[in-house]
DNA sequence: TTGAAAGCGCTAACAG
DNA sequence: CTGTTAGCGCTTTCAA
């Protein structure tokens, strides 16, 4: 910058102005500066700029390092560029779009190791605010960071009391599963259902199970306090295993098999579809199968999977809107108007995004 | 940082060490610093760090601001969270993965307006190196930036002579379309084909057309010097229009309609599928249809679309590998070993990623 | 091991 | 409209 200033015979302040506020510089001067910059290959340092102005114009997103979900090693056509669009991809897309609208760039990183020097720390230090997928960053670290810049938590409920002040966006897990269950119960007249959860029972899964129970209870159908089965991981392989286990168990106990299997996510449901096919069990004629998430794959499988679709993209957008508002409120700029959601300083926002049941073939609708 | 230093009774230099090189500080001191940092809610400033150390630990990606490809307003189930995974999404995914492996975060931004203060400029100023999708950034700006940091150009051929020194990665467009055409000609015995390009004829499209011509020529099939039709934009709507136009033209001229329509991308081909269906033309029985890209949608449509799959994800990974190597070579670190591709300072790398023909129903294979 | 001091490249008041 | 002058928060020799 000093070089540019010297070469164009102005002060560094003027060079700065040319980039920040071009109209405050005489056309002629501006051209001279720009020309010099070009000749010298000058690229303004975002770092220096950020340091001096205390803002980066960048928003961040941290998500878990989840290695690719398996494909039950059934390696189809989609070896590499598979159609499966991950959660994080959708959120990224939503955030990128919204960020762009507001003139922000997006910095993304999967949390690798923890401790100082984690990618998350790097992100936190380089953005004006960021979103985190639940359970990605240790609570304590999050707490510290959220003291310096706006943080919004995505998917998954408000965590421990430590993080009460964080904005947070989730989807209507409970409601979705409840509606789905009700559909099976009321519209398809099923009555013997099974819910397959996960070992850890993430908050999301727990909420879904609650919805399941609520619907059963409302319909007067007996239902246990815990999922009928908990898969170690929510993968296709485990889904397949779960379906087998459920059927084997019924056979061993001499009880009739369930008429419907409700999986806590699509991945498992898809795996179950395969397992049932292998056993010669017809879906949905013999057993209805449902998932949760609405991943693209759910529409590709045969029978197409009935599921609950989550608006991940909107979640990303909402996250950005929230962050932008927090930032506006922070530096006095903006009154909070112009958006459908208004935040008040100090008052954490909690958004619950609506979901919708996709009735497809696997429950007998398609 | 000063606060942390004071509170823990050390100098700022020590605080710095705790984060950069923990082992160089006595355990006891370290703990004291970390504790203070926690209490104060200290988050190291990436900006200051970057400014002082002249490196950010972030790689960037700039892609075009292409608004969402239309869906021919046929608003199916996929209103919002559609399965369509864009090019950029795949590249982002590939880059993110690779970047993560190397300890980098990824900064992404679609180029909005040009000039100073564009998002691209922001990206360039905040990263150690970045990738650009061809035709996203004005040549001149790119030239300037590439003088300061490594830039790799994605998809699309080497641009003007100005950018000869840039690394660059493309896919085998010509080869792919040639194979595809050969397949239609030789395996399906078609002979009257039509190629639908685009108005601007991007380098990619041009390459595909070359492949088409080459295959035709090799088979002794007459072929024009220019595409049979150029769609204004490569959208579904235009693809539909193109199919109609081609058929109408043949009818008007009293010539037999083409036996195969080769579209320059999947979007158009999908649109054509719809148009043909509306006209009662059977695919592939009456006319074969092919696309290019291998977007997820191509597998969803009926008949499934025969196309050429591009390894976008790998392209993202390759881009990162290239950048990382350039950076390593720059600061002396790393010898360039450890990767399958080795770059030499000053010598631009040019990668051509392989593609594969996906033979599906729309050409009569499925 | 730790501290002191000199910037990194830019913005942001203020003066002119 | 343009120049001056302080820092922004951290890394980094060089000493101690």
């Amino acid at each position: 910058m000093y070089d540019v200033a010297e070469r164009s015979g102005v002060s560094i302040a003027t060079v700065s102005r040319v980039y920040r506020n071009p109209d405050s510089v005489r056309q002629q001067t501006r051209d001279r500066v720009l020309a010099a910059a070009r000749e010298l290959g000058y690229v303004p340092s975002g770092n220096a700029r950020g340091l001096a102005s205390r803002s980066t114009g960048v928003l961040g997103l941290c998500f878990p390092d989840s290695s690719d979900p398996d494909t039950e090693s059934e390696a189809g056509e989609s070896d590499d560029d598979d159609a499966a669009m991950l959660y994080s991809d959708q959120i990224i897309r939503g955030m990128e779009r919204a960020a762009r609208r507001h003139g922000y760039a997006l910095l993304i990183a999967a949390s690798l190791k923890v401790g100082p020097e984690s990618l998350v720390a790097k992100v936190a230090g380089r953005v004006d605010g960021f979103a985190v997928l639940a359970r990605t960053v240790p609570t304590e670290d999050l707490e510290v960071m959220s003291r310096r810049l706006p943080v919004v938590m995505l998917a998954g409920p408000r965590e421990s009391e430590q993080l009460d002040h964080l904005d947070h966006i989730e989807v209507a897990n409970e409601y979705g599963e409840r509606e789905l269950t009700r559909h099976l119960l009321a519209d398809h007249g099923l009555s013997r259902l099974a819910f397959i959860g996960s070992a850890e029972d993430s908050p999301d899964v727990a909420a879904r199970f609650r919805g399941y129970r609520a619907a059963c209870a409302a319909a007067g159908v007996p239902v246990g306090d815990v999922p009928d089965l908990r898969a170690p991981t929510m993968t296709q392989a485990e889904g397949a295993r779960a379906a087998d286990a459920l059927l084997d168990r019924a056979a061993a106990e001499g009880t009739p098999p369930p008429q419907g299997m409700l999986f806590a996510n699509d991945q498992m449901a898809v795996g179950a579809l395969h397992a049932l096919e292998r056993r010669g069990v017809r879906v949905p004629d013999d057993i209805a199968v449902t998932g949760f998430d609405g991943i693209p794959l759910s529409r590709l499988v045969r029978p197409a999977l009935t599921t609950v679709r989550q608006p991940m993209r909107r979640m990303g957008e909402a996250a950005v809107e929230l962050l932008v508002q927090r930032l506006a409120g922070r530096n006095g700029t903006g009154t909070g108007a112009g958006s459908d959601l208004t935040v008040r300083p100090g008052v954490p926002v909690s958004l619950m995004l609506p979901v919708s049941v996709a009735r497809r073939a696997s429950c007998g609708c398609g």
Side-chain angles (χ1 to χ4, degrees), chain A residues 5-355:
Chain A
E6 185 171 5
R7 180 157 188 139
S8 51
V10 301
S11 71
I12 58 167
T14 299
V15 177
S16 177
R17 290 196 188 91
V18 168
Y19 285 89
R20 291 225 78 45
N21 187 359
D23 299 324
S24 73
V25 177
R26 200 198 310 160
Q27 166 89 40
Q28 178 190 334
T29 316
R30 196 192 321 161
D31 293 343
R32 213 143 30 88
V33 171
L34 252 15
R38 200 141 311 164
E39 289 161 19
L40 267 41
Y42 169 65
V43 179
S45 155
N47 283 327
R49 198 173 262 182
L51 184 54
S53 65
R54 328 158 141 307
S55 92
T56 64
V58 178
L59 294 180
L61 170 66
C62 297
F63 48 95
D65 185 13
S66 64
S67 321
D68 263 330
D70 67 345
T71 315
E72 209 190 349
S73 67
E74 213 164 314
E77 175 176 65
S78 61
D79 45 88
D80 174 51
D81 53 340
D82 55 10
M85 194 162 179
L86 275 19
Y87 254 48
S88 44
D89 291 308
Q90 302 250 33
I91 297 180
I92 290 171
R93 195 143 122 196
M95 285 192 73
E96 194 282 320
R97 274 204 180 8
R100 188 197 307 177
R101 273 203 302 277
H102 291 282
Y104 283 94
L106 185 65
L107 182 60
I108 64 181
S111 76
L112 224 29
K113 53 184 178 187
V114 296
E117 296 317 271
S118 64
L119 273 189
V120 221
K122 177 180 307 189
V123 169
R126 311 197 76 82
V127 301
D128 291 339
F130 67 103
V132 201
L133 250 69
R135 309 176 133 228
T136 299
V137 182
T139 305
E140 186 178 353
D141 294 330
L142 252 196
E143 199 282 322
V144 170
M145 293 167 179
S146 67
R147 249 141 79 192
R148 293 293 183 194
L149 41 70
V151 176
V152 42
M153 181 114 89
L154 301 184
R158 217 161 253 318
E159 269 178 42
S160 65
E161 69 301 339
Q162 286 270 294
L163 266 28
D164 272 352
H165 60 291
L166 255 53
D167 287 332
H168 134 270
I169 306 176
E170 63 184 322
V171 298
N173 283 300
E174 180 166 349
Y175 170 83
E177 190 76 31
R178 179 146 41 87
E179 281 306 294
L180 179 62
T181 308
R182 198 198 52 64
H183 172 61
L184 257 38
L185 258 21
D187 304 340
H188 288 295
L190 310 184
S191 60
R192 292 193 316 279
L193 304 181
F195 183 92
I196 297 84
S198 64
E200 317 176 1
D201 254 11
S202 71
D204 293 280
V205 171
R208 289 168 199 173
F209 182 61
R210 279 200 304 280
Y212 166 76
R213 289 194 64 201
C216 287
V221 170
V223 57
D225 286 348
V226 297
D228 298 81
L229 203 67
R230 291 184 200 259
T233 63
M234 308 203 347
T235 62
Q236 286 190 34
E238 287 304 334
R241 203 158 301 155
D244 282 327
L246 245 21
L247 258 27
D248 291 343
R249 182 198 292 177
E253 296 177 352
T255 57
Q259 299 170 300
M261 294 185 179
L262 295 86
F263 289 84
N265 79 348
D266 284 349
Q267 292 280 328
M268 291 197 292
V270 169
L273 247 28
H274 293 159
L276 293 176
E277 183 176 25
R278 280 195 293 265
R279 294 177 75 115
V281 176
R282 291 168 307 162
V283 176
D285 311 84
D286 299 329
I287 298 183
V289 171
T290 67
F292 202 109
D293 283 350
I295 63 177
L297 182 60
S298 71
R299 211 162 37 166
L300 289 172
V301 292
R302 297 301 145 190
L305 191 63
T306 288
T307 187
V308 178
R309 278 183 295 158
Q310 296 201 55
M312 300 317 281
R313 195 131 135 230
R314 268 187 209 147
M315 180 172 258
E317 294 175 350
V320 168
E321 297 302 340
L322 226 42
L323 290 173
V324 168
Q325 282 217 26
R326 286 284 176 216
L327 291 169
R330 178 165 289 204
N331 62 17
T333 309
T335 58
S339 182
D340 45 343
L341 57 115
T342 305
V343 305
R344 254 185 302 281
V347 184
V349 167
S350 206
L351 250 46
M352 169 90 75
L353 267 29
V355 298

